[in-house]
Amino acid sequence: MGITDLSPAELQAKYAAEREKRLRPDGAAQYREPEEVFDDFDRDPYVAWTARDPVVEQVEVAIIGAGIGGLMAAARLMEQNITSIRVIDKAGDFGGTWYWNRYPGAACDVVSYIYLPLLEETGYVPVEKYSKAPEIFAHCQRIARKFELYPRALFQTEVEGLAWNEETGRWLVSTDRDDAISARFVILAGGLLHRAKLPGIPGIKDFKGRSFHSCRWDYAYTGGGPAQMMDKLHNKRVALIGTGATAVQVMPKLAEAAEQLFIFQRTPAGVGVRANQPTSDAWKQALKPGWQREQIENFTRIVSGKRVEQDLVQDGWTEIFLKNPAVWGLMNEEQLKLDAANMAAIRRRVDEIIADPKTAEALKPWYNQLCKRPCFHDEFLPAFNRPNVTLVDTAGKGVERISEDAVVVDGVSYPVDCIVYASGFEVGSSHLRLLGFEMHGKGGVSLTEAWEQGPSTLHGIFARGFPNLIRFSLVQGGQAINVAHMLDELAQHTAWFLRRCLDENIAEVEPTRDAEEAWFQTVLANAGSLGAFYAQCTPSYANGEGSRVANPSAMRRMAFMGGTQEFIDILRDWREAGGYPGLEIKYRHNNDNG
Ligand code: NDP
């Protein structure tokens, strides 16, 4: 069916019918924690465990998380000559998502020249337009070396708790290595999508073959590596569960390595053109100082629906937003038409590439383009034409059951040796789930208690009762397609602020209740059309699997949806306003110690 076949009303009815197929009563509760299924889930497959003595120390700033957020926070603090810092992460190195996600085919779908931070500062230019994961991981290490962060990092270390000491005006960070780190400020940069989830498929624990989640790839079983053919799969039947951004990248690699690949689909992905290309010498040589910031800002303006004179990045994202700057808004007739045209092109691409008509029909997505994260790939669809690849479409229902040796859909067993779960990550969970530890602020009150009625923050960054605690979080915070840009903005904002705290002898900061409430009203005021947009979407993590209810606590967990550029401007205006509006400030007296 093409765009001309359906009127806007018919199209919406089709979208609604497809959505209906996927709604389920358990909503977001359908998923399971990997630890319930795999005993050794959280064992780091990449770096051997090393013993060390506990660290007992005082620092100015403790940073929890060594992914791009923590890395950028540390680098920007070093730039501000704040060198008494400690970065803590359970991983064995810097990199965060790029440390853990080493699955074959892993790559970033944001253009490398704007995603990889500090390119000009480190003198590095990515080798291609869309970086593969190993290049990004190596770049994180390059940044850490350049800013002398390795001696300041504690890896393979999990934070177990944070406690505010009112006497000393410091946080005590305790860890599973018995460290006791006393920090004047703490930055929580624990990541956004990093707690893996598994589908709650009956029988999932019964499977006797090998199975793992995409973010803990078992190369010992598959052979090969992120850039090498998985040579141990040639005689294996493999199931891949999921068709999200991860599955789209990993599927062609499995298809070329496995004897047989079954890919189990619940909702088809919308897969646009990738058109990756090597970085040309001519392009590199034409770059003028300041080029990276210019490109980063240009992209963020475009995807925030702002006008620009020129598209400096030219990728699938800018194409979507330049065609329809209000793509994330309420779907009026005009926008529906634009969206219909984009989605029709995506479906046409399926018809052009897929040889088998039944497979082609099943691979066509029917929803507004931004209901699911758009994917861009040039090998995913062609791989379905291989004789060893079978698409098992579950008509929106998901896998029915897993047995000792097979994946079952609609009563049919597909015997396999290995199951790969590309089933995604938790979104919007509580800090206890996402960070894995509790924090106790003033009066020993835990964040769980303080936020019983839902979160309360200024800019998503500061929270009353938790002085000197800075959060890089989606909860009432800024969201972005180029997440690395948002994290760097937060890092620069924080470094700017902490430099001032140190220079001005500021001992404690926390937001007023009024400022928090005013910020929540701003978040709410900007949620309107987006909430309505997602409410009509096919289920996904963006709308609580279709069951998001407008209860006040859930509303309080929302990100600021007024656009990435607006959020950045709000932070800039706040800095420029002077006097740190909305913060209560306690100054240090010269005879204070600590
Ligand atoms: P997703 O949550 O996007 O995908 C999970 C997949 O598992 C979905 O296709 C889902 O189906 C499917 N699934 C869940 N339960 C079942 C079930 N019972 N039976 C069958 N299928 C099931 O996770 P990803 O890891 O793919 O991506 C997560 C996010 O990570 C992305 O949205 C993106 O933000 C980020 N990412 C970014 C990349 C980048 O290039 N920058 C690359 C990869 C990931 P359904 O759709 O029906 O829910």
Side-chain angles (χ1 to χ4, degrees), residues 72 76 110-121 139 283 290-304 308 310-314 318 480-489 492 564-565 568:
M72 293 311 296
R76 295 302 186 186
V110 175
V111 170
S112 60
Y113 315 127
I114 62 166
Y115 181 84
L116 272 65
L118 300 170
L119 288 178
E120 288 187 76
E121 292 81 348
H139 186 64
W283 186 87
W291 69 268
Q292 195 190 20
R293 183 118 297 267
E294 194 187 5
Q295 291 201 8
I296 289 173
E297 289 175 357
N298 178 265
F299 177 87
T300 290
R301 289 189 70 76
I302 293 173
V303 299
S304 302
V308 290
Q310 208 190 338
D311 176 4
L312 298 175
V313 175
Q314 303 199 3
T318 60
I481 288 172
N482 183 5
V483 176
H485 181 204
M486 177 57 75
L487 291 170
D488 189 21
E489 289 289 338
Q492 292 191 53
T564 306
Q565 188 60 51
I568 291 170

Side-chain angles (χ1 to χ4, degrees), residues 249-369:
Q249 293 183 340
V250 81
M251 180 270 186
K253 300 288 176 195
L254 285 174
E256 84 194 10
E259 182 184 10
Q260 250 195 311
L261 175 66
F262 297 99
I263 172 162
F264 294 87
Q265 169 179 278
R266 195 164 66 175
T267 310
V271 188
V273 173
R274 170 74 308 161
N276 197 5
Q277 59 196 51
T279 305
S280 77
D281 284 343
W283 186 87
K284 223 157 121 171
Q285 271 144 25
L287 295 172
K288 305 231 164 37
W291 69 268
Q292 195 190 20
R293 183 118 297 267
E294 194 187 5
Q295 291 201 8
I296 289 173
E297 289 175 357
N298 178 265
F299 177 87
T300 290
R301 289 189 70 76
I302 293 173
V303 299
S304 302
K306 305 273 182 214
R307 287 192 178 283
V308 290
E309 284 185 6
Q310 208 190 338
D311 176 4
L312 298 175
V313 175
Q314 303 199 3
D315 72 341
W317 296 108
T318 60
E319 193 190 335
I320 291 172
F321 281 86
L322 286 172
K323 269 194 207 152
N324 182 8
V327 61
W328 244 321
L330 268 179
M331 289 281 151
N332 62 29
E333 189 136 326
E334 189 52 34
Q335 278 154 5
L336 256 180
K337 261 195 209 153
L338 287 165
D339 192 81
N342 284 350
M343 291 306 278
I346 296 276
R347 290 189 292 271
R348 225 170 12 248
R349 188 165 183 251
V350 174
D351 275 331
E352 282 159 13
I353 296 175
I354 301 291
D356 171 48
K358 197 168 153 249
T359 305
E361 234 18 72
L363 281 169
K364 291 178 186 171
W366 292 98
Y367 43 78
N368 295 117
Q369 189 159 27

Side-chain angles (χ1 to χ4, degrees), residues 459 461 488-497 571 574-575:
H459 301 152
I461 297 174
D488 189 21
E489 289 289 338
L490 288 169
Q492 292 191 53
H493 182 72
T494 301
W496 175 93
F497 179 65
L571 295 188
W574 184 85
R575 293 193 298 273

Side-chain angles (χ1 to χ4, degrees), residues 24 30-31 98 103 107-110 193 197 199 201 241-247 249 264 266-267 372-373 398-399 422-425 539 541 545:
R24 34 191 290 166
Q30 66 183 278
Y31 293 102
W98 303 108
Y103 58 84
C108 183
D109 63 9
V110 175
L193 288 166
K197 64 182 197 234
I201 301 172
I241 297 191
T243 50
T246 298
Q249 293 183 340
F264 294 87
R266 195 164 66 175
T267 310
K372 292 260 173 193
R373 185 174 171 112
V399 169
S423 46
F425 302 86
Y541 65 69
E545 303 298 332

Side-chain angles (χ1 to χ4, degrees), residues 46-79:
Y46 312 120
V47 173
W49 179 255
T50 34
R52 67 165 173 81
D53 291 330
V55 172
V56 179
E57 65 179 0
Q58 287 210 347
V59 291
E60 290 293 350
V61 190
I63 301 171
I64 300 172
I68 292 198
L71 180 64
M72 293 311 296
R76 295 302 186 186
L77 286 171
M78 293 295 280
E79 271 183 351

Side-chain angles (χ1 to χ4, degrees), residues 29-42 195-201 203-206 426 433:
Q30 66 183 278
Y31 293 102
R32 299 181 68 161
E33 293 180 30
E35 290 82 358
E36 285 174 35
V37 179
F38 304 124
D39 296 339
D40 61 345
F41 176 75
D42 238 0
R195 207 173 245 281
K197 64 182 197 234
L198 289 175
I201 301 172
I204 187 167
K205 281 180 89 162
D206 301 343
E426 286 186 22
R433 291 282 309 131

